[in-house]
Short mmCIF file of all heavy atoms in Angstrom, two decimals:
data_model
loop_
_atom_site.label_atom_id
_atom_site.label_comp_id
_atom_site.label_asym_id
_atom_site.label_seq_id
_atom_site.Cartn_x
_atom_site.Cartn_y
_atom_site.Cartn_z
N ARG A 5 133.70 221.10 68.46
CA ARG A 5 132.86 221.85 69.32
C ARG A 5 133.75 222.99 70.10
O ARG A 5 134.64 222.50 70.86
CB ARG A 5 132.12 221.05 70.36
CG ARG A 5 131.03 220.31 69.75
CD ARG A 5 129.77 221.00 69.44
NE ARG A 5 128.83 220.33 68.63
CZ ARG A 5 128.83 220.30 67.28
NH1 ARG A 5 129.83 220.99 66.55
NH2 ARG A 5 127.93 219.56 66.65
N LEU A 7 136.31 224.66 69.69
CA LEU A 7 137.74 224.42 69.73
C LEU A 7 138.52 225.73 69.78
O LEU A 7 138.31 226.72 68.99
CB LEU A 7 138.17 223.58 68.50
CG LEU A 7 139.36 222.68 68.64
CD1 LEU A 7 139.19 221.66 69.59
CD2 LEU A 7 139.64 221.99 67.36
N LEU A 23 132.17 222.98 64.19
CA LEU A 23 132.01 222.58 62.74
C LEU A 23 131.57 221.27 62.67
O LEU A 23 132.12 220.36 63.46
CB LEU A 23 133.33 222.86 62.06
CG LEU A 23 133.42 222.49 60.52
CD1 LEU A 23 132.45 223.38 59.72
CD2 LEU A 23 134.91 222.60 60.07
N GLU A 29 131.87 214.05 52.33
CA GLU A 29 131.78 215.45 51.84
C GLU A 29 133.20 215.92 51.49
O GLU A 29 134.24 215.49 52.06
CB GLU A 29 131.34 216.26 53.02
CG GLU A 29 131.00 217.74 52.71
CD GLU A 29 130.35 218.47 53.91
OE1 GLU A 29 130.31 217.92 55.09
OE2 GLU A 29 130.05 219.75 53.73
N GLY A 57 137.72 223.22 74.26
CA GLY A 57 136.80 222.64 73.23
C GLY A 57 137.19 221.06 73.04
O GLY A 57 138.03 220.49 73.69
N VAL A 80 147.86 215.15 54.62
CA VAL A 80 148.95 215.60 53.67
C VAL A 80 149.30 216.98 54.08
O VAL A 80 148.52 217.96 54.04
CB VAL A 80 148.38 215.65 52.25
CG1 VAL A 80 149.46 216.06 51.28
CG2 VAL A 80 147.89 214.28 51.81
N ASP A 87 161.27 211.70 53.96
CA ASP A 87 162.57 211.11 54.32
C ASP A 87 163.38 211.03 53.04
O ASP A 87 163.12 210.06 52.27
CB ASP A 87 162.28 209.65 54.88
CG ASP A 87 161.54 209.78 56.16
OD1 ASP A 87 162.03 210.30 57.03
OD2 ASP A 87 160.49 209.05 56.20
N PHE A 98 156.10 202.24 55.12
CA PHE A 98 156.30 202.68 56.48
C PHE A 98 155.08 203.38 57.01
O PHE A 98 154.56 203.02 58.13
CB PHE A 98 157.53 203.62 56.48
CG PHE A 98 157.75 204.27 57.85
CD1 PHE A 98 158.29 203.61 58.88
CD2 PHE A 98 157.34 205.63 57.92
CE1 PHE A 98 158.50 204.28 60.18
CE2 PHE A 98 157.47 206.24 59.20
CZ PHE A 98 158.02 205.57 60.25
N GLY A 101 152.37 200.87 57.93
CA GLY A 101 152.64 200.17 59.30
C GLY A 101 152.37 201.03 60.45
O GLY A 101 151.85 200.70 61.42
N GLN A 114 148.88 199.60 44.08
CA GLN A 114 147.59 200.29 43.53
C GLN A 114 147.71 201.74 43.80
O GLN A 114 147.44 202.60 42.97
CB GLN A 114 146.39 199.66 44.11
CG GLN A 114 145.07 200.16 43.52
CD GLN A 114 145.08 199.83 41.98
OE1 GLN A 114 145.27 198.74 41.54
NE2 GLN A 114 144.83 200.90 41.25
N ALA A 143 150.35 209.73 48.76
CA ALA A 143 150.37 208.31 48.77
C ALA A 143 150.61 207.77 50.22
O ALA A 143 149.87 206.86 50.64
CB ALA A 143 151.57 207.77 47.94
N LEU A 146 147.43 208.10 52.04
CA LEU A 146 146.36 207.06 51.65
C LEU A 146 146.66 205.59 51.90
O LEU A 146 145.86 204.75 51.74
CB LEU A 146 146.02 207.18 50.15
CG LEU A 146 145.50 208.49 49.70
CD1 LEU A 146 145.38 208.67 48.11
CD2 LEU A 146 144.15 208.72 50.28
N TYR A 190 144.10 228.41 46.28
CA TYR A 190 143.42 228.43 45.00
C TYR A 190 142.01 228.43 45.04
O TYR A 190 141.40 227.34 45.33
CB TYR A 190 144.06 227.39 44.08
CG TYR A 190 145.58 227.43 43.93
CD1 TYR A 190 146.36 226.42 44.56
CD2 TYR A 190 146.13 228.46 43.08
CE1 TYR A 190 147.74 226.49 44.32
CE2 TYR A 190 147.48 228.50 42.89
CZ TYR A 190 148.33 227.47 43.56
OH TYR A 190 149.72 227.58 43.41
N GLU A 195 136.31 226.19 44.34
CA GLU A 195 135.14 226.26 43.47
C GLU A 195 134.88 225.03 42.60
O GLU A 195 133.70 224.60 42.42
CB GLU A 195 135.31 227.52 42.50
CG GLU A 195 134.08 228.02 41.87
CD GLU A 195 134.30 229.36 41.22
OE1 GLU A 195 135.29 230.03 41.56
OE2 GLU A 195 133.48 229.77 40.32
N GLU A 214 127.03 225.95 51.89
CA GLU A 214 127.06 225.12 50.72
C GLU A 214 127.74 225.93 49.63
O GLU A 214 127.31 227.23 49.50
CB GLU A 214 125.64 224.71 50.24
CG GLU A 214 124.97 223.79 51.20
CD GLU A 214 125.32 222.35 51.08
OE1 GLU A 214 125.97 222.03 49.93
OE2 GLU A 214 125.17 221.58 51.99
N ALA A 244 114.96 253.43 38.77
CA ALA A 244 114.70 252.38 39.80
C ALA A 244 115.60 251.18 39.69
O ALA A 244 115.72 250.32 40.72
CB ALA A 244 113.29 251.87 39.69
N GLU A 251 131.93 255.56 31.64
CA GLU A 251 132.47 257.01 31.38
C GLU A 251 132.04 257.53 30.04
O GLU A 251 131.59 258.72 29.89
CB GLU A 251 133.90 257.04 31.64
CG GLU A 251 134.33 257.60 32.95
CD GLU A 251 135.84 257.73 33.09
OE1 GLU A 251 136.52 258.19 32.14
OE2 GLU A 251 136.35 257.34 34.21
N TYR A 260 122.89 242.73 40.03
CA TYR A 260 121.80 242.05 40.84
C TYR A 260 122.45 240.76 41.54
O TYR A 260 123.44 240.24 41.18
CB TYR A 260 120.59 241.59 39.87
CG TYR A 260 120.99 240.65 38.70
CD1 TYR A 260 120.70 239.35 38.80
CD2 TYR A 260 121.62 241.24 37.68
CE1 TYR A 260 120.99 238.48 37.74
CE2 TYR A 260 121.95 240.39 36.51
CZ TYR A 260 121.62 238.99 36.55
OH TYR A 260 121.99 238.20 35.52
N ASP A 283 124.20 245.09 22.03
CA ASP A 283 124.55 243.72 22.40
C ASP A 283 124.47 243.70 23.97
O ASP A 283 124.48 244.71 24.59
CB ASP A 283 126.04 243.41 22.05
CG ASP A 283 126.24 241.92 22.02
OD1 ASP A 283 125.37 241.10 22.32
OD2 ASP A 283 127.46 241.49 21.72
N ASP A 293 136.03 236.50 44.20
CA ASP A 293 135.37 237.89 44.51
C ASP A 293 134.71 237.80 45.82
O ASP A 293 134.76 238.70 46.67
CB ASP A 293 134.46 238.26 43.47
CG ASP A 293 135.08 238.35 42.04
OD1 ASP A 293 136.29 238.78 42.05
OD2 ASP A 293 134.49 238.08 41.05
N GLY A 297 135.72 239.73 49.29
CA GLY A 297 134.67 240.63 49.85
C GLY A 297 134.51 240.23 51.35
O GLY A 297 134.37 241.08 52.24
#
Side-chain angles (χ1 to χ4, degrees):
Chain A
R5 290 285 168 272
L7 208 59
L23 177 66
E29 186 176 7
V80 181
D87 296 305
F98 169 76
Q114 187 57 52
L146 294 177
Y190 297 108
E195 196 169 340
E214 294 280 339
E251 257 184 44
Y260 58 103
D283 200 359
D293 299 326

